Amino acid sequence: MVLHRSLPHLRSTLLRRSFFPGDRAGFSEGFRKYNVIASPAQTVLKIEKKAIVSCEDYNSVMDDEIAKIRSEFDAAKLGFIKIPEALKETPKMNPKGIYVNKNLRLDNVQVYGFDYDYTLAHYSSNLQSLIYDLAKEHMVNEFRYPVFCMSFKYDPTFPIRGLYYDKQKGCLLKLDFFGSIEPDGCYFGRCKLSRKEIEEIYGTRHIGRDQARGLVGLMDLFCFSEACLIADMVQHFVDAKLEFDASYIYQDVNHAIQHVHRSGLVHRGILSDPQRYLLKNDQVLRFLRMLREKGKKLFLLTNSPYYFVDGGMHFMLEDSLGYRDSWRELFDVVIAKANKPDFYTSEHPFRCYDKEKDNLAFTKVDVFHPNKIYYHGCLKSFIQITKWNGPEVIYFGDHLFSDLRWPSKAGWRTAAIIHELEVLQNACASLNKNEINIQNEDSYRFEQAKFHIIQELLGKLHATVTNSWGNVACQSLLEELNDERQKARRRMKRMFNKSFGATFLTDTGQESAFAYHIHQYADVYTSKPENFLLYPPEAWLHAPFDIKIMPHHVKVPSSLFKNQ
């Protein structure tokens, strides 16, 4: 770093010597000594000679700098042979931890609100296949897609959460924190596009404002089946050499996915065989009861219909609830079919739901009764009725946009449920492997430290050697560093999802766009609500001071390789 700072001064000194052969004193002494004025030709000749000497000096300095960086790289490669012992002493992150983006005092929180699907309810890997198959059948039977599409099977190894689909160009994209396409994260159908193909389609890897209007984010945990079905349909049309409009593919797949939810097909499928799709969870009951004992208010706000929530809660908690207990006794307010995110911006009235008659009452709702169920409604009326306002309320949800964006803007505190942090036993196999456990493994940290040290050397090379790219030694070193960096990237990516890599990071080491949205809309995030049992209800949760974006990322220092 000291050398890097001194080089501009050295270079400017050399240039000054080249074009200004002496200072004013030198010129004066020369004039007095010889008592003649040099001819222009003589002056130019002297300048050229000194310039040649100065350029030789500069090239010599650059050769020395390249040699020093080469020496550092060779020394680092010796450290790459084995995992440093010091790596085992670096701190590891807890998959069950609560990670903080914005400071949160739990003693100030008096009201806890919860989404249902993938927040209180945990599902097995079979659910994505069920949604995929039901949506595929709807597209064939109702939208007249080719019967051949019925042979498609859901591939749990293909998608990750947080992808974007380009409705204009038909590509599935993984974007980084700055809105640029990850070089190894762009697929057309099931085919990965090369950097050259990405540039031919988009002109640049950066997604501009106009292009962003054609993108749709796939952010919730139902999006795995949606992303896979979109890619499979696009690939079918490509293989069959049929013309198609990419926006129609998205429109039809999205409508089919919405249909299987709104029609109740997926709800009935789950309740018909809850052992296959739902995971029992007595810890969430412990958490809810603890909150009640501490005098906290609880509400449930979900888009699912009441019969589905009721059936699922009874199954999940039946081994833990007492004979006379009901899960509804845990909540002060239960709202189903809330139509989020419209719930937050509309002015729809609440309707009281009669579960015996399966219909909605016509009477005005101006108070919430604990033993009643409510449908629809809006945030404005909810606040007017409950008087629960601002930071005294925290809401838990898995969808960053539908669940958390508007509550965050309304002043509520928000907790994102990110299952990728800790994949539960028998849980959704379409999720990546437990990403925190992977980051805790020595093999991953070893590659990460290698990647960082190569990045440092590349930065030093680019900052130091500004005019020597034609130098053979420089070019050779640059190619070797880039090659070693690519190897480290590929090894790290293979530890996560084979198609798109890690959910929170890109191959270039930047946080992903999905990570950006977590940071933007979630005050805290964790793998499941019951992780709050590990913290006192009066805890103060503080954001780390030394993070870039995601608190659960540990940067392994490259210095581990320098002192072996």
Side-chain angles (χ1 to χ4, degrees):
M1 185 61 71
V2 174
L3 177 63
H4 168 62
R5 289 174 179 170
S6 63
L7 277 173
H9 172 72
L10 172 63
R11 190 176 177 194
S12 63
T13 303
L14 291 172
L15 291 173
R16 197 161 54 242
R17 289 174 182 170
S18 300
F19 294 99
F20 303 96
D23 56 18
R24 293 186 179 183
F27 273 116
S28 301
E29 291 173 3
F31 296 154
R32 286 196 297 269
K33 184 174 182 181
Y34 296 109
N35 199 30
V36 294
I37 298 176
S39 69
Q42 289 175 318
T43 303
V44 170
L45 181 61
K46 288 179 182 178
I47 291 173
E48 287 178 347
K49 284 181 178 179
K50 293 209 172 210
I52 291 170
V53 172
S54 300
C55 287
E56 288 175 353
D57 291 344
Y58 181 73
N59 288 335
S60 176
V61 171
M62 290 301 100
D63 287 342
D64 290 344
E65 293 311 311
I66 294 169
K68 287 179 182 178
I69 297 172
R70 160 66 70 183
S71 177
E72 287 186 56
F73 183 40
D74 290 341
K77 284 194 289 187
L78 293 175
F80 293 168
I81 296 173
K82 64 177 182 178
I83 297 175
E85 285 296 317
L87 195 63
K88 298 174 182 178
E89 300 174 6
T90 56
K92 295 189 175 182
M93 307 307 288
N94 182 6
K96 300 178 185 294
I98 298 173
Y99 295 98
V100 186
N101 291 322
K102 298 167 191 160
N103 294 347
L104 174 64
R105 287 182 54 175
L106 292 180
D107 59 341
N108 287 340
V109 177
Q110 302 303 318
V111 183
Y112 285 72
F114 300 90
D115 183 33
Y116 175 72
D117 293 299
Y118 283 113
T119 299
L120 293 179
H122 304 313
Y123 294 101
S124 75
S125 58
N126 298 314
L127 178 58
Q128 297 297 333
S129 294
L130 174 66
I131 296 171
Y132 181 95
D133 289 340
L134 290 172
K136 172 189 66 180
E137 291 170 10
H138 185 74
M139 293 181 71
V140 172
N141 296 332
E142 300 298 325
F143 300 158
R144 299 296 184 261
Y145 274 67
V147 177
F148 178 79
C149 296
M150 291 295 289
S151 64
F152 294 168
K153 299 293 182 185
Y154 175 67
D155 179 3
T157 67
F158 175 68
I160 63 172
R161 185 151 59 139
L163 298 177
Y164 288 82
Y165 179 68
D166 188 336
K167 294 186 292 183
Q168 304 303 318
K169 298 179 172 64
C171 297
L172 270 175
L173 312 170
K174 180 181 177 184
L175 302 182
D176 69 14
F177 178 83
F178 300 102
S180 295
I181 302 170
E182 180 179 318
D184 285 334
C186 181
Y187 279 74
F188 186 69
R190 297 298 293 272
C191 297
K192 184 170 73 172
L193 301 182
S194 66
R195 290 186 180 220
K196 183 178 179 181
E197 289 171 323
I198 293 172
E199 290 178 2
E200 288 174 353
I201 294 172
Y202 290 97
T204 174
R205 280 180 44 223
H206 184 72
I207 297 295
R209 182 176 297 177
D210 291 338
Q211 290 174 317
R213 293 191 182 100
L215 302 184
V216 288
L218 305 175
M219 296 293 164
D220 67 1
L221 285 164
F222 291 119
C223 74
F224 294 103
S225 47
E226 185 174 6
C228 193
L229 189 53
I230 287 172
D232 289 342
M233 289 297 179
V234 169
Q235 191 61 49
H236 170 72
F237 280 94
V238 172
D239 293 341
K241 295 181 171 56
L242 298 172
E243 291 187 7
F244 67 97
D245 188 315
S247 64
Y248 292 157
I249 296 288
Y250 169 75
Q251 179 179 300
D252 291 344
V253 170
N254 184 256
H255 283 178
I257 295 285
Q258 295 295 329
H259 170 76
V260 300
H261 283 88
R262 290 172 179 168
S263 66
L265 283 172
V266 72
H267 299 141
R268 290 191 292 273
I270 292 170
L271 293 182
S272 68
D273 192 0
Q275 294 278 2
R276 179 176 174 79
Y277 299 108
L278 276 164
L279 304 179
K280 294 204 171 186
N281 184 9
D282 60 347
Q283 291 302 302
V284 73
L285 178 61
R286 277 190 57 209
F287 174 49
L288 298 175
R289 280 179 169 166
M290 182 272 290
L291 293 176
R292 296 290 293 184
E293 290 168 2
K294 295 291 182 179
K296 307 297 184 182
K297 300 293 184 181
L298 276 65
F299 69 92
L300 180 68
L301 178 66
T302 175
N303 285 352
S304 293
Y306 174 74
Y307 79 89
F308 174 67
V309 176
D310 186 50
M313 291 291 276
H314 274 296
F315 173 78
M316 290 188 294
L317 306 179
E318 65 184 356
D319 298 334
S320 306
L321 286 169
Y323 176 74
R324 293 190 176 184
D325 290 336
S326 166
W327 67 268
R328 281 183 298 147
E329 295 173 6
L330 299 168
F331 294 93
D332 296 272
V333 183
V334 174
I335 302 167
K337 281 202 171 183
N339 298 322
K340 294 176 294 181
D342 288 346
F343 176 87
Y344 300 112
T345 56
S346 73
E347 295 195 6
H348 294 154
F350 284 100
R351 304 282 299 273
C352 189
Y353 174 71
D354 188 330
K355 66 185 185 70
E356 303 296 337
K357 299 178 180 178
D358 189 27
N359 62 15
L360 298 175
F362 293 96
T363 54
K364 182 179 180 180
V365 175
D366 51 16
V367 63
F368 291 135
H369 298 283
N371 58 338
K372 299 289 186 180
I373 309 300
Y374 300 93
Y375 269 31
H376 311 319
C378 64
L379 179 62
K380 180 180 177 181
S381 296
F382 181 82
I383 293 174
Q384 287 175 345
I385 295 172
T386 62
K387 304 297 188 292
W388 296 338
N389 259 311
E392 71 171 346
V393 182
I394 188 170
Y395 186 67
F396 292 71
D398 70 288
H399 196 299
L400 298 174
F401 294 159
S402 294
D403 288 333
L404 304 182
R405 176 166 54 180
W406 289 106
S408 176
K409 291 183 177 182
W412 288 2
R413 308 311 299 267
T414 53
I417 302 304
I418 310 295
H419 286 247
E420 289 86 346
L421 298 172
E422 178 204 9
V423 177
L424 307 176
Q425 186 178 9
N426 299 320
C428 186
S430 13
L431 302 176
N432 291 330
K433 302 171 186 176
N434 181 334
E435 295 213 0
I436 287 185
N437 276 351
I438 292 173
Q439 292 180 32
N440 285 340
E441 292 174 2
D442 287 348
S443 56
Y444 176 82
R445 294 181 167 207
F446 181 55
E447 296 299 331
Q448 187 187 38
K450 286 166 61 176
F451 179 79
H452 288 167
I453 201 169
I454 294 166
Q455 285 282 79
E456 288 178 14
L457 292 172
L458 277 167
K460 188 180 292 186
L461 186 64
H462 281 88
T464 301
V465 188
T466 54
N467 290 325
S468 301
W469 297 116
N471 184 304
V472 175
C474 177
Q475 199 62 38
S476 173
L477 178 58
L478 182 65
E479 290 175 1
E480 287 185 51
L481 285 168
N482 277 323
D483 183 59
E484 198 68 39
R485 180 172 64 169
Q486 280 298 104
K487 288 178 182 177
R489 279 178 180 173
R490 286 194 292 269
R491 292 189 192 107
M492 286 191 287
K493 181 176 180 177
R494 284 197 296 268
M495 297 179 192
F496 297 95
N497 177 277
K498 69 175 185 178
S499 303
F500 294 96
T503 301
F504 309 102
L505 287 172
T506 65
D507 293 349
T508 57
Q510 294 286 351
E511 275 78 8
S512 66
F514 181 64
Y516 169 76
H517 292 309
I518 295 175
H519 183 73
Q520 190 175 21
Y521 298 126
D523 294 338
V524 297
Y525 62 97
T526 188
S527 62
K528 53 188 186 295
E530 53 267 34
N531 290 339
F532 275 70
L533 284 169
L534 303 174
Y535 298 77
E538 301 81 19
W540 290 25
L541 305 178
H542 290 277
F545 69 91
D546 58 347
I547 61 166
K548 286 175 64 180
I549 296 299
M550 302 302 287
H552 75 275
H553 286 160
V554 172
K555 301 293 188 291
V556 177
S558 58
S559 58
L560 289 175
F561 290 99
K562 297 178 181 178
N563 300 311
Q564 293 192 89

